[in-house]
């Protein structure tokens, strides 16, 4: 079967194998609690969530746990259904864009598969970093010391600070914009302000009609918990408009196993705008009096329950609107509403009152 053929007829358990593989890592973060005997009794208490829309799912992975496909011409993408990377084959070698550890050695296997099919080089000569986070770069060291690594200047600063041997700091950096010319191919890098992190960049492939922008819009899905853990919420809110200003039709979002489109970016933008509208309404519609009257001197209890009521007010209509449209709308939307509530309140000053 060609690497370009659909593999949706693979056994369904392979489609999500990467997610299963991530469970031990999560258990480690939780101090091993997932492996404790007590966890076996919690299944009946787990909540039910809405089914995942088929439109949110990408192609099934192969027996080794990855899928590789062509985006356009000599630009390809790789996914394990949870994370994704991209690579560009050139006359001088392969340029890899991010190296997620969950894909790991399958990155080279994907490159090898394409090289064997097309008679091109399978040697990775460059790795371009989208940003410094380990979940997108933790397999970088697999490619050795002879690879040229490229990223934003702040990415280098942060990686030198973190001193993680799996993520060697970039050898070449830029601050605002840089155009790479590698093996006859052109790649445009841009830093248009902070968003998910201080160093997250736009990677534009003008000759392949593609934009790669990681950890902002996850096509087909709502963002990960607490508005994707974005470090700069106002900066992140500005991203869809900036992204849509580039000319592209194909989108690599870094997560969740399928390529995106401009329609996906506009849908994400509308989802966030609907949440913002709900939060602004909640700031005036939800009366704090009952919460502070009940809890008296326990200010945190009053604030917690008051904000829970505000985020529920803001998120309930959005969950109803997007369930069946964006996957996991009922899972994380209320957590996004809380982050947006705090940003609108603290960054924009909406709802602030000056004491008389």
């Amino acid at each position: 079967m060609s690497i370009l053929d659909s593999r949706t007829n693979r056994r369904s358990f392979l489609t999500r194998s990467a997610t299963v593989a991530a469970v031990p890592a999560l258990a480690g973060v939780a101090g091993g609690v997932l492996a404790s005997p007590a966890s076996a009794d919690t299944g009946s208490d787990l909540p039910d969530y809405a089914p995942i829309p088929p439109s949110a799912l990408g192609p099934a992975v192969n027996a080794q746990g990855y899928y590789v496909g062509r985006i356009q011409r000599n630009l390809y993408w790789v996914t394990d259904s949870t994370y994704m990377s991209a690579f560009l084959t050139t006359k001088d070698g392969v340029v890899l864009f991010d190296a997620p550890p969950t894909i790991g050695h399958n990155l080279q296997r994907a490159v090898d598969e394409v090289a064997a099919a097309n008679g091109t080089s399978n040697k990775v000569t460059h790795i371009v970093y989208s940003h410094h986070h380990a979940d997108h770069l933790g397999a970088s060291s697999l490619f050795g010391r002879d690879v040229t690594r490229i990223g934003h200047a702040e990415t280098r600063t942060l990686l030198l600070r973190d001193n993680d041997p799996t993520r060697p700091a970039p050898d070449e950096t830029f601050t605002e914009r840089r155009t790479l010319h590698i093996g006859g191919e052109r790649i445009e890098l841009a830093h248009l302000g902070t968003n998910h992190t201080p160093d997250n960049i736009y990677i534009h492939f003008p000759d392949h009609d593609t934009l790669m922008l990681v950890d902002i819009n996850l096509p087909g899905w709502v963002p990960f918990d607490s508005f994707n853990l974005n470090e700069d919420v106002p900066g992140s809110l500005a991203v869809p408009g900036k992204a849509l200003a580039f000319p592209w039709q194909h989108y690599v979002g870094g997560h969740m196993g399928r390529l995106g489109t401009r329609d996906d970016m506009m849908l994400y933008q509308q989802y966030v705008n609907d949440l913002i509208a709900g939060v602004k309404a909640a700031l005036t519609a939800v009366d704090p009096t009952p919460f502070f009257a009940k809890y008296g001197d326990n200010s945190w209890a009053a604030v917690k329950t008051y904000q829970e009521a505000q985020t529920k007010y803001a998120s309930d209509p959005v969950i109803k609107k997007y369930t069946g449209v964006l996957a996991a709308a009922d899972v994380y939307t209320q957590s996004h509403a809380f982050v947006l509530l705090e940003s609108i309140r603290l960054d924009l000053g909406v709802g602030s009152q000056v004491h008389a």
Side-chain angles (χ1 to χ4, degrees):
M1 181 178 290
S2 165
I3 60 170
L4 305 181
D5 291 339
S6 170
R7 294 171 179 160
T8 54
N9 60 338
R10 299 275 190 179
R11 290 172 294 174
S12 60
F13 79 90
L14 289 174
T15 310
R16 296 291 167 254
S17 62
T19 304
V20 174
V23 170
L26 292 175
V29 171
V33 67
L34 294 181
S36 67
S39 65
D41 299 327
T42 61
S44 60
D45 300 328
L46 294 176
D48 293 321
Y49 292 109
I52 299 300
S55 60
L57 301 177
V61 299
N62 62 18
Q64 290 176 298
Y66 73 90
Y67 170 87
V68 59
R70 191 193 306 269
I71 299 176
Q72 192 176 105
R73 297 195 303 109
N74 56 327
L75 178 64
Y76 298 84
W77 67 294
V78 188
T79 185
D80 59 5
S81 294
T82 304
Y83 283 84
M84 62 175 64
S85 175
F87 65 90
L88 189 64
T89 61
T90 81
K91 62 184 180 65
D92 294 335
V94 175
V95 184
L96 180 65
F97 301 88
D98 279 356
T102 65
I103 305 178
H105 289 280
N106 279 337
L107 291 168
Q108 186 64 60
R109 294 185 183 104
V111 169
D112 292 345
E113 183 178 339
V114 169
N118 298 332
T120 56
S121 171
N122 69 342
K123 181 175 176 56
V124 175
T125 60
H126 296 75
I127 304 177
V128 176
Y129 290 174
S130 66
H131 65 302
H132 72 286
H133 278 168
D135 62 330
H136 292 278
L137 301 185
S140 175
S141 62
L142 297 180
F143 295 90
R145 296 181 178 180
D146 294 335
V147 172
T148 299
R149 294 171 170 85
I150 302 169
H152 191 262
E154 185 67 12
T155 301
R156 178 173 173 80
T157 298
L158 292 167
L159 289 178
L160 289 174
R161 176 203 67 182
D162 295 343
N163 193 29
D164 177 2
T166 71
R167 294 175 286 157
D171 309 291
E172 300 180 11
T173 64
F174 71 101
T175 54
E176 294 182 0
R177 291 181 183 268
R178 180 175 177 187
T179 299
L180 303 177
H181 296 279
I182 301 173
E185 302 295 336
R186 177 170 56 129
I187 306 134
E188 296 178 346
L189 310 179
H191 183 262
L192 304 180
T194 61
N195 46 73
H196 175 62
T197 60
D199 59 324
N200 201 31
I201 64 172
Y202 300 71
I203 304 171
H204 184 221
F205 304 88
D207 301 321
H208 299 82
D209 212 12
T210 299
L211 180 70
M212 182 171 178
L213 177 62
V214 172
D215 280 344
I216 296 293
N217 173 19
L218 316 181
W221 295 73
V222 302
F224 176 66
D225 197 5
S226 303
F227 197 45
N228 255 353
L229 302 177
N230 290 321
E231 294 183 33
D232 182 345
V233 174
S236 298
L237 295 177
V239 165
K242 294 178 180 180
L244 289 167
F246 288 86
W248 55 272
Q249 293 300 322
H250 312 290
Y251 178 77
V252 181
H255 280 280
M256 306 315 289
R258 80 163 173 85
L259 292 177
T261 65
R262 295 183 75 85
D263 285 343
D264 286 313
M265 184 63 75
M266 290 185 284
L267 179 61
Y268 164 77
Q269 186 178 42
Q270 185 59 58
Y271 168 81
V272 174
N273 286 341
D274 286 345
L275 264 179
I276 291 171
V279 164
K280 288 181 177 178
L283 283 167
T284 57
V286 180
D287 181 9
T289 305
F291 305 97
F292 286 88
K294 176 175 177 60
Y295 294 107
D297 291 337
N298 191 343
S299 297
W300 280 168
V303 169
K304 180 180 185 291
T305 52
Y306 173 45
Q307 290 189 319
E308 285 174 347
Q310 288 177 306
T311 57
K312 187 176 189 306
Y313 182 98
S315 62
D316 277 358
V318 178
I319 292 170
K320 181 178 180 180
K321 178 177 178 178
Y322 289 93
T323 294
V325 178
L326 288 174
D330 56 335
V331 179
Y332 280 140
T333 296
Q334 190 163 349
S335 76
H336 305 330
F338 174 76
V339 173
L340 293 171
L341 170 74
E342 288 300 278
S343 178
I344 289 169
R345 186 175 69 85
L346 301 175
D347 297 323
L348 303 183
V350 176
S352 293
Q353 297 180 3
V354 178
H355 190 276

